[in-house]
């Protein structure tokens, strides 16, 4: 029972601190651009404000429009319970492995794209079309990265992966270096950050994610935005905990849990700052440059896999 | 686990080998000429680091001399020479779009796998722990050759030729602790002379056909078909 | 007991076809007799096949018919039981769906009884193929299946396009059958008899084994629809009536897969890993090319047909992995690969027939088959839309439905490639897995397009604006299939445990760890390697949904939803032409993957009276121009050369006879 309670707490922690991470990234970006910027807890105020606002639904919308925010949010919240934030070995970690996690995001994206097409406007269709195109190019790169990791640790279970890396002595895996680089590019594409998609744009032709949720308002919009922030947090946790796993708690003792909490907070804040740096330094690519970007990610992961086979296997 | 048995220096050599391969891939698809030259310089830096690490871990201090030569030639002199050439030819702003870059990169990946397949019987002969990197260095050579074939600007082809030589040097360092000094000096001077001569040739080509796009040399065919 | 049920299935199918011939003119009599009998055939197939699979038994029967020296052998084991279950299930749903659907053909120019006659013969043929245990009965049943389905494809023969598609279908079925026959011939030469059990004992030298394998691969592959032998599929499946398309796509392709498995795993004996590599390569190519071609289609049924090519590719990827592991001595992993492929056979039969039945409902109610003229149907056909949505989610391999489980198992099999000693192969298997991932993501994109353009948004044509929901029978059929899709997605462990019975036929050790941790967890290889708790995933999604809904429910009371027109940038009311079309949706993918299709695009400027120009986009299939047309030209050229013999001159013909006589006399005298 202790494990399940801890898992519930961890899920709650992920769900309720994700807006802070998004706010932190935005604050660092503003500071880098010599602006004062909103405080890091601004997303909480945005969400609360949206939850109390009126919901306006278009005449041509169908039931899919109204259930999509719930599906997207619940699937992403379930994914939160699977990622190891503070500790490994929780019972929810065996619910799904990395490939199932990818499947969860795919399910959320499916309903998000359907919601974009639902009202019958051109913006939504455009957003859905672009999102599905980008997603279909991201999947091979992501899977190749996952395979590279899984070939070394002989598992796709997140808890086993991190446990294996913590248990073995420190080694420099060339395959992991490449997989990390590739997965970073993939994470940027999946979470819709610059240079693939601009999360703060107002111009319809530069939107991907925003175009699909353009028609949403009130609590539905709050759920969609929250789900996007959750996705950013989940990818961040995966990147830092899979490639720099030191600090993650392997047992449930209070001291190691506290250490794990501190470690993940530090790592995520650093990753958020790095993301803010990258977003400030790069410009958004036009849509037909994204395939080249994603094929670079695929080649990185492919090189990682080849490095494993050539350099690390005996 | 195989990797754990190696000391840290040799693990780093493996990582550097993989990064050198990655820079070869980057060279395949870079559009701008100046960034091409800079990437080539970075490949030289990685090569320098790998040579120093091999020298440290094996105790063969003559490799430090090779490392120093690599640094001076491949990282400073040749890129400087190429940049001067680019300024004089006034092609700094030209951008070469590499068509179907994804396909070319996948072809590069296939070349890596192919070199691994070719090299596997030879792997057994080397006694070094870093013998797996022979496949990587052969791959660097082949990818350099692929670069010469797929690019149209003459400068890019020179850089491809240089990266082939990088691959050769790397394979010598990791497989057999370097080449005899005489061979190394000879090869280094050949490359140096080649870099200088290329500069002269490029002016002549441009005067002759008006551009440095080697596809325009197609005019020099025998028949009128 | 299960054997008698299987025989009942065959007899009922035959009866459903032949009995209505007593009163061929009365449509009511035909429908009353044939569809219940067809349903009985389906039900007994399900029960018989299911019982055989659950109990793991085998039966053998020898019939007094057949060749004088080879009586017809029938054999029922868990493998044929499983496929019998799949065939029976889709047949049962087709029988429930059929009566309301064929109402449309009663007003047509062609009579109804050929449809029911050939449906019955078709189902009987498929069941007999699954039961046959000697080459002669197998080929007879195979031909019965092919020819009966030819007549079904050509049912609406008043259209030229249908006649041509049916002809190509028949041609390729015959050529495929020829290859299969040659494969059996090679085995029989070394075994001494045409009986399957005797052929299994045959010992073939390596070269001949490869020849037999290649012949069977081409023959069964032509029927299953792997690239580049797939060209008949997108022609034949759209023109047949929709419940027949469901049978063709859902089960006939699986019968071809059954034949391939039976031939390779049981009759050939030792599997070489090189064959597995070939199958893996062809499977990956079929999967990715199938889905790319499907993305560019805007005829709903042709799109679904190309997706069948893709899913057969996925099944072949699983089979290829299994064969590679079998050839290198990893029996447990080979069993896992086979289980993944068989699971996908079941899943594809379920969701593809669901999608075809939905497409049939749309076609019947709106009389539109082009996606570009549909839209907004979710309000007009709500039940069809919900079931179609479940089919779309399943085919896109998304949790918690069934399509995800078989793809997940295939990925897990591919992941075990590191145990191979051949490092080149170990490096190529992840590339095949990446291709599978690309396929899955492109399939999801395609079905977002299909569902979004067809059901969501605003109607693009008059027929769609006034369509009504289809009658009860088809609704029940679709709901049944949708529930089964969910069921097989949420209970994977139980299903895998049953499928393991089949894997144990060829790999006695099986893969016991997959189901070793209870019905909640699916753990291939070991629980530390990977685990998937499907019922808990469904529970988790529902729980999170319930929590979110409950938390927001009080606010719902305070601030109810306001309906208002969609935002239109201030330009005025939106109309249906302003929506994204199917072609527009897939345009980015068309640009990115352009070399895959032969595309001809043209735009004509508007004339004096017109407001807009004309845009024309034509997308073909490279297989026609690169493979089949050269072969056709070669054959026709050779035939033209040979017509020289037929000069027309009587004296030449007499001279032929004369010289042949001289030659024979010479041969006799030597």
């Amino acid at each position: 029972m202790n494990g399940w309670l801890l898992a519930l707490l961890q899920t709650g922690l992920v769900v309720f601190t994700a807006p802070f991470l998004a706010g932190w990234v935005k604050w660092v970006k503003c500071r880098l651009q010599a602006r004062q910027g909103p405080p890091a807890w601004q997303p909480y105020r945005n969400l609360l404000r949206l939850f109390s606002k009126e919901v306006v639904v278009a005449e041509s919308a169908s039931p899919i429009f109204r259930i999509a925010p719930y599906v997207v949010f619940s699937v992403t919240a379930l994914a939160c319970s699977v990622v190891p934030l503070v500790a490994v070995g929780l019972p929810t970690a065996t619910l799904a492995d990395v490939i199932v996690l990818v499947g969860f995001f795919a399910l959320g994206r499916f309903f998000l794209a359907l919601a974009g097409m639902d009202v019958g406007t051109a913006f939504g269709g455009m957003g859905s079309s672009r999102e599905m195109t980008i997603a279909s190019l991201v999947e091979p790169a992501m899977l190749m990265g996952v395979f590279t990791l899984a070939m070394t640790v002989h598992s796709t279970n997140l808890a086993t992966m991190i446990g294996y890396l913590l248990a073995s002595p420190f080694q420099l895996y060339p395959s992991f270096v490449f997989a990390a680089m590739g997965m970073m590019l993939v994470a940027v594409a999946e979470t819709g950050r610059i240079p693939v998609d601009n999360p703060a744009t107002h111009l319809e032709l530069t939107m991907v994610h925003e175009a699909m949720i353009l028609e949403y308002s009130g609590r539905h919009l709050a759920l969609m935005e929250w789900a996007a922030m959750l996705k950013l947090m989940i990818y961040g946790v995966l990147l830092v905990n899979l490639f720099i796993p030191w600090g993650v708690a392997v047992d449930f003792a209070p001291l190691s849990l506290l250490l794990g909490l501190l470690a993940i907070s530090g790592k995520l804040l650093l990753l958020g700052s790095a993301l803010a740096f990258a977003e400030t330094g790069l410009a958004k690519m036009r849509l037909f440059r994204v395939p080249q970007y994603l094929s670079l990610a695929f080649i990185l992961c492919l090189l990682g896999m080849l490095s494993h086979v050539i350099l690390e296997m005996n | 686990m195989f990797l754990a048995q190696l000391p840290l220096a040799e693990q780093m050599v493996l990582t550097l080998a993989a990064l050198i391969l990655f820079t070869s891939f980057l060279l395949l698809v870079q559009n701008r000429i100046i960034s091409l030259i800079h990437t080539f310089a970075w490949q030289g830096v990685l090569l320098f680091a790998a040579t120093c690490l091999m020298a440290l871990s094996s105790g063969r201090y003559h490799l430090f001399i090779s490392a120093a030569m690599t640094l001076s030639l491949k990282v400073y002199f040749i890129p400087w020479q190429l940049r001067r050439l680019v300024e004089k030819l006034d092609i700094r702003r030209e951008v070469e779009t590499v068509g179907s870059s994804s396909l070319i990169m996948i072809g590069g990946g296939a070349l890596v796998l192919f070199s691994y397949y070719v090299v596997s019987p030879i792997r057994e002969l080397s006694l070094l722990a870093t013998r797996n990197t022979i496949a990587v260095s052969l791959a660097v050579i082949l990818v350099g050759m692929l670069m010469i074939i797929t690019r149209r600007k003459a400068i890019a082809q020179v850089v491809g030729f240089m990266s082939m030589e990088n691959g050769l040097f790397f394979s010598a360092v990791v497989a057999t602790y370097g080449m005899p000094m005489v061979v190394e000096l000879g090869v280094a001077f050949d490359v140096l002379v080649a870099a200088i001569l290329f500069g002269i040739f490029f002016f002549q080509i441009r005067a002759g056909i008006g551009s440095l796009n080697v596809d325009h040399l197609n005019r020099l065919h025998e028949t009128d078909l | 007991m299960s054997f008698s049920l299987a025989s009942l299935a065959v007899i009922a199918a035959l009866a459903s076809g032949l009995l209505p011939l007593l009163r061929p003119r009365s449509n009511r009599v035909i429908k009353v007799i044939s569809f219940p009998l067809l349903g009985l055939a389906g039900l007994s197939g399900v029960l018989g096949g299911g019982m055989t699979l659950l109990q793991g038994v085998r039966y053998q029967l020898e019939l007094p018919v057949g060749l004088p020296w080879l009586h017809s052998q029938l054999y029922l084991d868990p493998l044929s039981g499983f496929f019998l279950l799949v065939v029976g299930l889709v047949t049962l749903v087709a029988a429930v769906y059929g009566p309301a659907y064929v109402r449309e053909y009663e007003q047509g120019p062609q009579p109804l009884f050929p449809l029911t006659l050939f449906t019955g013969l078709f189902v009987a043929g498929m069941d007999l193929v699954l039961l046959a245990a000697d080459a002669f009965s197998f080929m007879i049943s195979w031909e019965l299946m092919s020819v009966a389905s030819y007549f079904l494809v050509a049912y609406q023969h008043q259209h030229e396009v249908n006649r041509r598609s049916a002809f190509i279908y028949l041609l390729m079925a015959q050529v495929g059958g020829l290859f299969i026959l040659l494969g059996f011939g090679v085995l029989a030469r070394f075994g001494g008899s045409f009986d399957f059990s005797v052929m299994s004992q045959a010992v073939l030298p390596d070269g001949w084994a490869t020849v037999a394998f290649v012949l069977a691969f081409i023959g069964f592959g032509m029927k299953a629809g792997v690239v580049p032998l797939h060209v008949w599929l997108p022609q034949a499946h759209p023109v047949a009536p929709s419940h027949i398309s469901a049978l063709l796509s859902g089960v006939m392709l699986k019968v071809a897969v059954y034949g391939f498995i039976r031939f390779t795993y049981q009759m050939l004996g030792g599997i070489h890993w090189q064959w597995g590599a070939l199958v893996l390569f062809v499977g990956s190519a079929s999967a990715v090319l199938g889905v790319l071609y499907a993305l560019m289609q805007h005829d709903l049924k042709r799109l679904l047909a190309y997706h069948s090519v893709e899913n057969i590719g996925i099944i072949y990827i699983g089979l290829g992995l299994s064969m590679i592991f079998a050839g290198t001595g990893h029996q447990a992993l080979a069993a896992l690969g086979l289980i993944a492929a068989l699971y996908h056979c079941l899943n594809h039969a379920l969701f593809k027939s669901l999608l075809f039945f939905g497409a049939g409902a749309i076609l019947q109610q709106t009389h539109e088959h082009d996606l570009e003229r549909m839209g907004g149907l979710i309000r007009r056909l709500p039940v069809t839309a919900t079931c179609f949505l479940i089919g779309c989610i399943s085919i896109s391999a998304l949790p918690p439905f069934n399509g995800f489980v078989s793809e997940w198992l295939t990925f897990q099999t591919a992941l075990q490639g590191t145990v191979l000693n051949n490092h080149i192969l170990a490096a190529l298997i992840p590339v095949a897995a990446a291709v599978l991932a690309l396929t899955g993501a492109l399939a999801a994109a395609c079905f977002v397009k299909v569902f979004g353009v067809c059901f969501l948004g605003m109607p693009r044509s008059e027929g769609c604006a006034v369509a009504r929901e289809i009658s009860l029978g088809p609704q029940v059929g679709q709901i049944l299939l949708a529930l089964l899709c969910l069921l097989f997605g949420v209970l994977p462990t139980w299903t895998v445990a049953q499928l393991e019975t089949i894997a144990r036929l060829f790999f006695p050790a099986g893969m016991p760890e997959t189901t070793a941790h209870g019905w909640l967890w699916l753990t291939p290889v070991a629980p530390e390697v990977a685990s998937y708790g499907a019922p808990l995933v469904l529970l988790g999604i529902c729980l999170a949904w319930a929590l979110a809904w409950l938390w927001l429910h009080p606010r719902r009371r305070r601030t109810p939803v306001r309906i208002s027109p969609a935002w239109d940038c201030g330009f005025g009311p939106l109309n249906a032409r302003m929506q994204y079309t199917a072609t527009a949706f897939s345009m980015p993918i068309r640009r990115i993957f352009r070399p895959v299709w032969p595309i001809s695009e043209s735009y004509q400027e508007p004339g004096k009276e017109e407001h807009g120009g004309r845009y024309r986009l034509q997308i073909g299939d490279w297989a026609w121009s690169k493979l089949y047309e050269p072969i056709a030209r070669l054959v026709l050229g050779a035939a033209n050369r040979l017509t020289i013999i037929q000069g027309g001159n009587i004296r030449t013909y007499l001279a032929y006879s004369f010289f042949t006589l001289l030659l024979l006399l010479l041969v006799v005298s030597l």
Side-chain angles (χ1 to χ4, degrees), chain B residues 56-131:
Chain B
L56 272 174
S57 75
S58 68
R60 315 250 168 143
Y61 295 110
H62 72 88
L63 280 176
F64 277 119
I65 308 178
S66 312
M69 265 187 2
T70 306
L71 186 68
S72 55
L73 274 181
K74 302 265 180 59
V75 179
Y76 288 115
F77 187 72
I78 292 182
W80 173 69
Q81 182 75 343
L82 286 173
R83 279 192 65 162
R84 261 190 49 196
L85 192 60
V86 164
E87 308 267 334
K88 276 204 278 184
L89 287 171
D90 201 21
I91 52 175
R92 192 196 167 88
R93 297 210 176 276
E94 281 185 19
V95 169
E96 173 187 357
T97 40
V98 182
S100 64
S101 61
S102 324
L103 275 180
I104 293 178
M105 283 209 276
I106 291 179
L111 277 177
V112 174
L113 203 57
F114 177 68
S115 20
Y116 180 66
Y117 173 65
V118 162
V119 156
S120 30
I122 308 176
R123 263 177 80 222
E124 315 302 323
L125 297 175
S126 166
L127 299 166
L128 255 56
T130 49
R131 62 182 186 225

Side-chain angles (χ1 to χ4, degrees), chain C residues 49-82:
Chain C
M51 281 172 64
T52 318
L53 187 59
L54 286 171
Q55 293 164 1
V57 292
R58 309 174 202 206
Y59 293 101
Q60 194 147 4
L61 182 69
E62 182 172 324
L63 290 179
V65 297
L67 298 170
W69 62 92
L70 176 68
H71 284 168
S72 180
Q73 308 276 345
L74 294 180
Y75 184 62
L76 182 63
D77 69 349
L79 179 66
S80 25
F82 171 70

Side-chain angles (χ1 to χ4, degrees), chain A residues 134-211:
Chain A
I134 295 176
S136 56
L137 296 172
V138 161
E139 292 266 331
M142 173 138 60
L143 194 89
M144 190 60 94
V146 165
F147 259 54
T148 308
L149 298 176
M151 280 166 96
T152 309
V153 304
H154 301 292
S155 159
T156 47
N157 197 329
L158 282 167
T160 317
M161 278 186 187
I162 298 180
Y164 180 96
L165 289 171
L166 285 176
S168 47
F170 174 71
Q171 283 147 39
L172 203 57
Y173 295 102
S175 56
F176 273 44
V177 171
F178 281 115
M181 288 198 277
M183 293 293 275
M184 275 198 270
L185 295 183
V186 159
V188 164
E190 274 269 309
T191 51
R193 314 295 299 191
I194 292 177
V196 174
D197 178 18
N198 192 345
T201 183
H202 311 290
L203 306 171
E204 300 88 31
L205 292 178
T206 60
M207 295 181 193
V208 178
H209 182 258
E210 305 298 315

Side-chain angles (χ1 to χ4, degrees), chain A residues 4 16 48 51-64 66-67 70-71 73-75 77-78 91 93-97 99-107 109-111 113-115 117-130 132-133 135-137 139-141 143-144 146-147 150-152 154-157 160 204 214-215 219-220 223 226 286-288 291 298 302 305-306 308-310 313-314, chain C residues 378-379 389 392-393 396-401 404 408 411-412 414-420 423-424 426-431 433-435 437-438 441-449 451-453 455-458 460 521 527-534 536-538 540-542 544-545 548-549 551-552 555-556 558-567 569 574-575 578-581 584-589 591-593:
Chain A
W4 285 100
F16 286 103
L48 281 173
F51 275 124
S52 54
K53 282 195 144 193
E54 183 188 30
V55 173
V56 180
V57 169
E59 289 166 334
S60 45
S62 70
I64 299 273
R66 305 207 12 198
I67 70 171
Y70 290 99
V71 173
F73 183 74
S74 31
V75 161
L78 185 65
T94 50
L95 201 61
D97 64 346
I99 304 181
V100 182
L101 202 65
V102 172
F104 284 155
F105 290 133
L107 180 64
R109 187 170 40 234
F110 190 86
F111 273 92
L114 280 184
M117 302 219 39
D118 193 42
V119 180
T121 60
F123 302 120
M126 182 187 76
S128 304
S129 159
R130 293 174 163 195
M132 296 312 288
T133 308
S136 56
L137 296 172
E139 292 266 331
L143 194 89
M144 190 60 94
V146 165
F147 259 54
M151 280 166 96
T152 309
H154 301 292
S155 159
T156 47
N157 197 329
T160 317
E204 300 88 31
L214 198 63
E215 294 291 328
R219 51 181 179 267
H220 295 161
L223 284 175
W226 200 350
R286 53 179 286 248
L287 180 70
F288 290 107
F298 180 72
L302 181 71
M305 190 269 297
L306 289 175
H308 175 79
V309 169
I310 296 177
M313 268 167 79
N314 212 358
Chain C
I378 194 170
R379 258 166 259 113
L389 179 64
C392 288
I393 301 180
S396 312
L398 301 173
F401 289 92
F404 176 72
W408 187 74
F411 278 129
Q412 292 298 334
L415 200 58
Q416 301 303 316
T418 47
V419 303
L420 292 174
H423 286 182
I424 304 285
L428 286 174
I429 288 180
V431 178
V435 169
L438 177 66
L442 284 172
C446 189
F447 278 98
V448 165
K449 174 186 94 165
F451 194 80
V453 167
F455 287 98
L456 303 176
M458 291 185 279
R460 294 178 181 80
W521 306 101
E528 304 81 49
V529 172
S531 61
Y532 176 47
L536 291 173
V537 164
L538 184 63
I541 295 179
C542 295
W545 190 333
W549 195 84
W551 183 38
L552 293 173
R555 297 162 207 268
R556 196 186 313 271
R558 256 183 281 139
T559 53
V561 169
R562 176 160 65 96
I563 312 281
S564 85
W567 177 57
C569 278
L574 299 172
N575 65 22
M578 296 177 187
Q579 298 174 101
Y580 247 52
T581 60
F585 192 94
S586 48
M587 188 278 269
I589 296 182
R591 270 188 73 163
I592 294 172
F593 290 100

Side-chain angles (χ1 to χ4, degrees), chain C residues 111-375:
Chain C
L112 189 62
F113 75 86
L115 187 61
T116 53
L117 168 67
F118 288 111
T119 310
L121 288 176
F122 179 47
V123 175
M126 285 198 286
D127 285 338
L128 280 172
V129 168
L130 296 174
L131 291 173
D134 69 283
F136 189 63
S137 336
F138 189 94
M139 291 311 299
I140 297 270
S141 327
W142 188 268
E143 288 302 317
L144 178 66
M145 184 178 81
S146 303
V147 174
S149 46
Y150 163 74
F151 283 109
L152 289 172
V153 170
Y155 179 62
Q156 291 180 288
H157 53 84
Q158 62 269 26
H159 304 296
E160 158 77 37
V161 163
N162 296 4
R163 290 201 298 271
R164 183 168 177 271
S165 310
F167 173 69
I168 292 176
Y169 171 62
L170 185 66
L171 180 64
M172 295 194 69
Q174 294 305 320
V175 172
L178 198 63
F179 275 97
I180 298 173
L181 191 60
L182 286 174
F184 281 141
V186 171
L187 273 182
R189 181 200 181 278
F190 287 95
S193 154
F194 279 105
D195 192 335
F196 279 6
S197 47
V198 176
M199 285 204 269
S200 314
Q201 313 294 335
V203 176
L204 289 100
D206 268 350
W208 280 109
T210 309
V211 167
F213 173 76
V214 170
L215 286 170
F217 182 59
I218 296 179
F220 287 113
M222 210 176 254
K223 189 59 135 188
V226 296
V227 165
L229 307 166
H230 68 287
V231 286
W232 60 270
L233 231 163
Q235 306 248 351
H237 286 198
V239 306
S242 301
H243 63 300
I244 303 299
S245 305
L247 280 174
L248 285 175
S249 206
V251 293
M252 192 183 71
L253 304 182
K254 308 302 171 309
V255 172
V257 175
Y258 158 80
F260 180 66
I261 295 178
R262 180 72 81 190
F263 192 94
T264 314
Y265 283 77
Q266 182 160 347
M267 293 204 267
L268 269 181
I271 300 178
H272 300 183
W273 67 263
Q274 292 90 341
W275 302 345
L278 174 68
V279 172
L280 182 66
F281 176 69
V282 170
S284 316
S286 304
V288 76
L289 286 175
V291 76
L292 281 173
Y293 275 95
L295 267 164
M296 294 300 126
Q297 306 301 322
H298 51 88
D299 178 316
L300 182 56
K301 285 169 71 170
R302 177 173 262 126
L303 184 147
L304 292 175
Y306 269 113
H307 270 288
S308 295
V309 174
E310 171 216 341
N311 280 291
I312 290 288
I314 297 177
I315 295 174
Y316 270 64
I317 288 178
L319 285 176
L321 287 171
S322 168
M323 287 165 73
I324 289 177
F325 285 125
T328 49
H330 299 98
Q331 301 266 322
L333 295 174
L336 185 65
L338 184 60
I339 291 174
L342 290 173
Y343 206 135
H344 202 76
C345 284
L346 173 66
N347 288 343
H348 180 236
L350 289 175
F351 53 61
K352 189 42 72 66
S353 17
L354 174 60
L355 289 170
F356 264 112
F357 286 137
I362 296 172
L363 187 61
Q364 185 168 16
Q365 300 303 103
T366 65
H367 303 289
E368 299 285 354
H369 59 93
D370 192 345
L371 273 179
E372 311 281 29
R373 297 181 57 81
M374 299 188 197

